[in-house]
Amino acid sequence: EHRKRWPAIEIECHDVFSSFQNDALRKQEIDVGFLRPPVEQVTLNCELLYEEAFVVVLPKNHRLAKRRSVRLKDIAHEPLIIFDRHFSSGLYDRIVGLFSRHGFTPHLIVTHVEAHEEAGAIMVASGKAIFVGAGAIVNRSVSGLDLASVGLKEPEAKIEVYVAWRKGEESPAVLSFLDSIRRVLSPPAHRKVA
């Protein structure tokens, strides 16, 4: 959408975990971030874009793998692979909090993403653990493994995704990109009418 309106503008994308984007924005390493909570709002502006549903990744031969969705009680006693809180504190807290509010204490296997993303996917495929996370993270999982993705059917099994930028931003290129983001990704109630 943005390239249609502004073909001369070059957009460079970086895959940066939410916990690091706040700092990258403040240090001017990036101009716009797409991140999950928490968003530092002292020096940054943010707008809600959408809510991302949680999914459960299981080996294809798991007893729950053929379902469209599962309840938390169905997976509460499975070993759970989760990203280290350092990488995405909001996601980590939301998942652990979800288990806690339902009266469960998850058996966590914490992974440091850079070194162990493939190892985590292999653990899931081999039946040693399951993974709960936001849908976009699951879409990055290692291909070629026998994994199934099933929705987590709990009303609070979701997390917000925001766009964030520095307060006082005046760059026309950044402001026009934010406008394109709003046109494409903002919830209907927040979209500007042209």
Side-chain angles (χ1 to χ4, degrees):
E1 176 68 22
H2 189 70
R3 188 163 296 269
K4 286 181 200 171
R5 295 175 59 216
W6 305 96
I9 299 293
E10 190 70 31
I11 299 170
E12 186 178 317
C13 298
H14 299 275
D15 193 359
V16 180
F17 277 91
S18 292
S19 293
F20 304 133
Q21 285 191 52
N22 288 292
D23 197 40
L25 283 161
R26 281 191 305 272
K27 290 179 178 178
Q28 299 186 6
E29 294 170 353
I30 61 174
D31 294 309
V32 175
F34 297 93
L35 60 159
R36 297 177 188 91
V39 180
E40 184 272 297
Q41 294 184 36
V42 173
T43 60
L44 303 177
N45 287 319
C46 70
E47 292 177 17
L48 176 66
L49 295 176
Y50 54 89
E51 290 184 320
E52 192 173 22
F54 288 166
V55 296
V56 180
V57 180
L58 310 156
K60 278 192 176 175
N61 62 357
H62 192 280
R63 62 186 168 78
L64 303 172
K66 295 195 185 311
R67 292 190 186 180
R68 288 184 186 260
S69 63
V70 295
R71 301 300 303 249
L72 194 62
K73 66 181 181 178
D74 298 327
I75 61 165
H77 302 292
E78 301 268 354
L80 176 67
I81 292 177
I82 192 166
F83 292 135
D84 187 309
R85 189 175 187 278
H86 179 70
F87 293 105
S88 187
S89 61
L91 186 59
Y92 180 99
D93 293 347
R94 190 72 56 97
I95 292 168
V96 172
L98 179 65
F99 276 79
S100 179
R101 281 189 300 284
H102 285 262
F104 302 113
T105 303
H107 170 70
L108 299 179
I109 300 170
V110 179
T111 181
H112 300 283
V113 179
E114 292 102 339
H116 303 291
E117 186 170 350
E118 186 174 345
I122 291 169
M123 284 183 69
V124 172
S126 68
K128 294 183 179 185
I130 64 168
F131 175 82
V132 175
I137 292 173
V138 170
N139 292 335
R140 297 185 328 174
S141 66
V142 178
S143 61
L145 296 175
D146 288 331
L147 301 175
S149 177
V150 179
L152 182 55
K153 189 176 181 176
E154 300 294 344
E156 68 275 29
K158 56 190 171 191
I159 192 163
E160 304 81 13
V161 176
Y162 293 91
V163 61
W165 65 98
R166 286 178 294 281
K167 287 188 177 180
E169 181 63 66
E170 295 180 1
S171 164
V174 172
L175 297 175
S176 66
F177 186 61
L178 289 167
D179 185 51
S180 293
I181 292 166
R182 290 180 188 107
R183 289 172 183 263
V184 175
L185 295 176
S186 290
H190 294 107
R191 287 192 183 137
K192 295 179 181 179
V193 179

